[in-house]
DNA sequence: GCTCGATTATAAGGAGCGCTTTGGGGTATC
DNA sequence: GATACCCCAAAGCGCTCCTTATAATCGAGC
């Protein structure tokens, strides 16, 4: 078995023409070089160098091996450098999945900071709602998933690493001329008779649950996961809605009023990843930047 | 430091998708694979594989390393195979130097046998007389030198490996119509008054010495290391000569008679090489074939 | 829900390898 | 002839790696 160590020694010996000089170049003692060369010759099955008086020359086999050594060692160092670039965040790719309101608020800020801190990293972004984004993670189709949950921590991603980012609150959205438009806050029950405009499927489920807790079943006239559309529909007087604060942060709110909802309904926004991937530098850096973006 | 062993393990793990299967493929135990992978990840500074439930997938760094591994391991095996070809006499080059009468007798026979036994070997042949052929050996300009010596073993190549091939005898050469042409043998002293035709410088020196021992100094009219020319000069009646038997073996002897010289003068024909080179398979095979050719 | 089979991780023991130190032989140079 | 340099050989030591043995985890099937 020929080892890279052998090839380094042989190359140094060939370059310097002396065991001692090679040892100095390699930072070891001369007997070490001597032993390596002997081991290499034994592995090769034929002498590699020939000593004629003072000087050394390579045999044909030695020349062959030196010629190969260059390529092999170059390949090895190239591999090491590329890996070091990934480990040192001078390179690396992160496949990020986010839900719509996250990808328009947290994600741009986080990715800008990531790019600034580590210009070599590359991030790809795909949109997906929480139930499927965790599946993409498990299937290996992404590295980080931005997700949210309404309930407690005992949810469907116990096998994933969860990095909490922020707590989002639901706010009520009513037309400017609504009877409650001037109220500071509103309870869900006060909207029992309204027409509703629901958001994404998961938010819709949450809405139905919240209304159920307040003792009624909402009459949902429209449902879309396009939040600007929801706001537009509300502004047009077609109904009311509850939306995550985060969704409002990146939308124009002309023609509507937002109301605090009492009791407050919260959703936890978290970043998910696989346990192993959490150790990957580029993934860890992305999680850090997402957390930092959430603080702003 | 990334070792080829690591790359082999990683490649096997990547190919089989399992540590245990990789261990079976590599012919070692599963903990060995586990430890190698851990060591490799530690050396890389980032995870290389990610476990999602049952299956394993490579991280980006893992994919990079596998991609490099192919080339690196291919280079290593190519080097090993090329060296093995030289060590196994399926390849290899020998630079042979011979004196003229050797290269026309021993050498063709030996090289034909070498080619038959090891078709992959290549031999180059250059002619040079003994004093300089040993120098070429020391200077690295050839691998094997065919040489001869008249004296005892204590000569000028103590630092070389000497393989004795055969003992050559000097014979006298006289014109067909010479007064001694019918004699069985002749002593040097009987030729004291003749005109002499000498061979190569070394043979000429030897001739002068032998004549000196017989009590006279030869009158040398011509000197050439072209043995057919010597024979031609003798046949033309321009003098007498003593030549090695070997030189006569490959020359036409029309018009001359050969006589045994008493007391016999011998020269040892040997193959020389450097101690290190004697271990090189192609060199050793060449020496063996030369020895075998000398027996014929 | 439970057990079985397979896979992986961990710990301990032992063998092998490589490096260093030390001392000796050889050669070219002054 | 003395010196300096270079290489080899042997002994000691630490380290690495592999193996065996055992525990823990996961998925499949009854």
């Amino acid at each position: 078995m020929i080892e890279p160590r052998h090839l380094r020694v042989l190359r140094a010996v060939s370059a310097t023409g002396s065991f001692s000089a090679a040892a100095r170049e390699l930072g070891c003692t001369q007997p070490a070089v001597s032993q390596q060369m002997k081991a290499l010759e034994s592995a090769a099955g034929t002498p590699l160098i020939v000593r004629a008086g003072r000087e050394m020359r390579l045999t044909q086999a030695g020349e062959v091996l030196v010629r190969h050594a260059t390529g092999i060692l170059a390949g090895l160092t190239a591999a090491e450098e590329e890996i070091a670039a990934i480990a040192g965040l001078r390179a690396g790719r992160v496949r990020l999945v986010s839900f719509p309101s996250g990808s328009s608020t947290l994600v741009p800020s986080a990715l800008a900071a990531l790019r600034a801190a580590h210009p070599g990293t590359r991030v790809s972004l795909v949109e997906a709602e929480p139930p499927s984004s965790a599946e993409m993670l498990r299937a290996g189709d992404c590295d980080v998933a931005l997700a949210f949950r309404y309930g407690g921590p005992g949810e469907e991603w116990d096998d994933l690493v969860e990095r909490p980012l922020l707590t989002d609150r639901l706010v009520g959205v009513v037309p400017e001329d609504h009877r409650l438009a001037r109220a500071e806050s509103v309870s869900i029950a006060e909207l029992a008779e309204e027409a509703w405009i629901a958001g994404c499927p998961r938010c819709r489920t949450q809405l139905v649950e919240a209304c159920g807790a307040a003792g009624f079943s909402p009459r949902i006239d429209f449902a879309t996961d396009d939040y600007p559309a929801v706001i537009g529909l509300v502004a047009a007087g077609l109904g009311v809605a509850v939306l995550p604060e985060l969704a409002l942060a990146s939308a124009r709110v002309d023609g509507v009023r937002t109301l605090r909802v009492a009791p407050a309904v919260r959703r936890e926004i978290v970043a998910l990843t696989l346990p192993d991937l959490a150790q990957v530098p580029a993934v860890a850096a992305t999680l850090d930047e997402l957390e930092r973006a959430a603080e702003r």
Side-chain angles (χ1 to χ4, degrees), chain A residues 269-291:
Chain A
I269 296 183
V270 300
L272 301 174
T273 190
L274 293 173
D276 291 325
L277 287 175
Q279 309 303 319
V280 172
V283 170
T286 303
L287 293 180
D288 291 343
E289 291 302 341
L290 281 171
E291 191 169 18

Side-chain angles (χ1 to χ4, degrees), chain A residues 12-184:
Chain A
V13 168
S14 164
T16 63
S18 144
F19 282 14
S20 298
R24 285 189 292 271
E25 183 175 315
L26 296 171
C28 64
T29 61
Q30 169 268 319
V33 173
S34 197
Q35 291 176 19
Q36 290 291 329
M37 288 299 301
K38 181 182 285 187
L40 182 57
E41 289 193 328
S42 151
T46 170
L48 300 174
I49 56 174
V50 48
R51 262 174 291 280
R54 173 73 77 174
E55 66 185 334
M56 274 184 186
R57 279 187 307 276
L58 292 171
T59 64
Q60 187 194 5
E63 287 173 0
V64 164
L65 216 44
V66 167
R67 176 160 41 84
H68 277 100
T70 307
I72 292 169
L73 294 177
L76 265 174
T77 58
E80 286 176 342
E81 281 175 4
E82 197 164 344
I83 293 295
I86 292 175
L89 281 172
R90 296 188 304 280
R93 171 216 60 196
V94 176
R95 296 162 302 169
L96 179 60
V97 168
S98 170
F99 53 92
S101 59
S103 57
S104 62
T105 52
L106 283 176
V107 170
S109 167
L111 296 196
L114 184 67
R115 166 66 53 96
H118 310 295
T121 55
R122 293 286 176 271
V123 181
S124 66
L125 176 63
V126 173
E127 296 209 339
E129 298 285 341
S132 69
S133 56
E135 277 318 303
M136 292 179 64
L137 210 47
R138 294 193 185 91
D141 293 330
C142 71
D143 301 312
V144 176
L146 222 63
F148 58 86
R149 55 175 166 76
Y150 285 99
E155 283 226 24
E156 61 263 59
W157 44 67
D158 300 340
D159 54 333
L160 303 178
V161 172
E162 181 183 294
R163 174 84 67 106
L165 296 181
L166 55 83
T167 300
D168 197 10
R169 225 188 313 227
L170 291 193
V171 296
V173 182
V174 299
E176 267 180 344
D177 53 358
H178 194 269
R179 59 180 167 94
L180 295 172
R182 300 290 165 195
E184 283 260 322

Side-chain angles (χ1 to χ4, degrees), chain A residues 125-262:
Chain A
L125 176 63
V126 173
E127 296 209 339
E129 298 285 341
S132 69
S133 56
E135 277 318 303
M136 292 179 64
L137 210 47
R138 294 193 185 91
D141 293 330
C142 71
D143 301 312
V144 176
L146 222 63
F148 58 86
R149 55 175 166 76
Y150 285 99
E155 283 226 24
E156 61 263 59
W157 44 67
D158 300 340
D159 54 333
L160 303 178
V161 172
E162 181 183 294
R163 174 84 67 106
L165 296 181
L166 55 83
T167 300
D168 197 10
R169 225 188 313 227
L170 291 193
V171 296
V173 182
V174 299
E176 267 180 344
D177 53 358
H178 194 269
R179 59 180 167 94
L180 295 172
R182 300 290 165 195
E184 283 260 322
S185 71
V186 66
S187 76
I188 293 283
E190 293 180 79
L191 298 170
E193 302 303 323
E194 301 283 344
W196 285 85
I197 300 162
C200 69
R202 169 162 293 209
C203 300
R204 178 180 173 149
T205 303
Q206 171 60 19
L207 171 64
V208 172
E209 270 186 23
C211 295
F216 71 97
S217 176
R219 176 167 60 88
I220 296 176
D221 286 357
F222 301 91
T224 173
D225 54 359
D226 182 346
Y227 288 113
V230 171
I231 293 170
L233 291 170
V234 172
L238 296 181
V240 301
V242 293
L243 291 181
E245 254 183 329
L246 201 62
L248 291 170
S250 62
R252 296 178 53 100
V253 290
D254 297 340
V256 298
R257 291 277 177 177
T258 61
L259 310 171
R260 206 145 40 81
V261 173

